[in-house]
Amino acid sequence: MSRRAWLLVPLLLFVGFVAAAAWRLSAPPDTSIRSRMVGRDVPTFAAAPLLPGRPGLASTDLGQGRPRLVNFFASWCVPCIAEAPVLLDLQKRGVVIDAIALRDDPTDVRKFLADNGDPFAALGSDPVGEAQIAFGSSGVPESFIVDGKGVIRYQHIGPITPDQVPEMMAEWEKAR
C-alpha cells in the first residue's frame, strides 16, 4: 500500500468514530434501570412507621389477597410533588397505595402530605435505602404493583402522569 493510503487510515478511523458517536447520541439507549424483581415474590423487608399513628410497611403486609401499589417517594423529590395528584386519583379509583419514604425526615414528610395530599394506606421509612435496594428500585418516584399473592407484577419508573393512569389501571386489574 502506498504511503498516501496509510495516511488516510487515521482519518478514516476518526470519521468512523465521530459517525458512531453521533449515531449513539441521536438515539441513546434506554437509561432506565429495570428491577429484576418483577415476576418474583416481594423481597423480605420492614420499613418502620414514619409518622405516629400510621402503620409502616413490611413484606408480610403484601400478598394478603388483594393487589397493592408500593410507591417509593421522598419529600425532597420534585417529581414526587407532580405525581401526588395522580396518586390521589388512583386511590379514588380503588387502588390501595402504600408508600416508603426514602432518606426522609418525619417533619418534612408530614408537610409534604399536608401540601400534596395523602393517598397512602401505610407509610414506612427507609432511611438508608434497604427496602429500595431489595425491590431493585433505582430512584424516586418509583412504583411497583404487587398482586394478592405477594408477587411483583409491574414496575413504573419515574412519576406517574395523568396520561399513564389508564395503563396503571390496566396493570392493577391484571394483578387482581
Side-chain angles (χ1 to χ4, degrees), residues 13-48:
L13 288 173
F14 178 73
V15 168
F17 173 76
V18 169
W23 171 67
R24 290 311 299 158
L25 289 173
S26 68
D30 182 10
T31 58
S32 300
I33 299 172
R34 295 275 165 210
S35 174
R36 292 185 181 195
M37 295 302 296
V38 175
R40 296 183 181 177
D41 290 342
V42 170
T44 301
F45 73 94

Side-chain angles (χ1 to χ4, degrees), residues 31-119:
T31 58
S32 300
I33 299 172
R34 295 275 165 210
S35 174
R36 292 185 181 195
M37 295 302 296
V38 175
R40 296 183 181 177
D41 290 342
V42 170
T44 301
F45 73 94
L50 182 66
L51 300 175
R54 298 286 304 268
L57 185 65
S59 51
T60 55
D61 299 325
L62 304 171
Q64 299 293 321
R66 55 191 281 212
R68 299 172 86 94
L69 186 144
V70 178
N71 179 258
F72 288 88
F73 85 105
S75 65
W76 44 263
C77 163
V78 174
C80 296
I81 295 169
E83 180 182 58
V86 179
L87 293 177
L88 288 167
D89 180 40
L90 288 170
Q91 179 200 31
K92 288 177 187 169
R93 293 170 185 250
V95 175
V96 179
I97 305 171
D98 298 316
I100 298 176
L102 290 164
R103 300 173 201 81
D104 224 327
D105 176 78
T107 303
D108 294 336
V109 171
R110 192 175 292 111
K111 181 173 179 355
F112 177 92
L113 297 176
D115 292 347
N116 301 294
D118 182 0

Side-chain angles (χ1 to χ4, degrees), residues 107-171:
T107 303
D108 294 336
V109 171
R110 192 175 292 111
K111 181 173 179 355
F112 177 92
L113 297 176
D115 292 347
N116 301 294
D118 182 0
F120 307 126
L123 179 57
S125 175
D126 194 8
V128 295
E130 289 177 5
Q132 180 187 29
I133 291 168
F135 268 80
S137 169
S138 62
V140 290
E142 194 162 336
S143 298
F144 294 85
I145 294 177
V146 179
D147 71 13
K149 296 177 182 173
V151 176
I152 298 172
R153 293 295 175 192
Y154 182 76
Q155 175 190 22
H156 183 87
I157 298 171
I160 302 167
T161 59
D163 62 311
Q164 294 167 329
V165 168
E167 176 187 348
M168 294 300 292
M169 291 305 300
E171 293 297 334

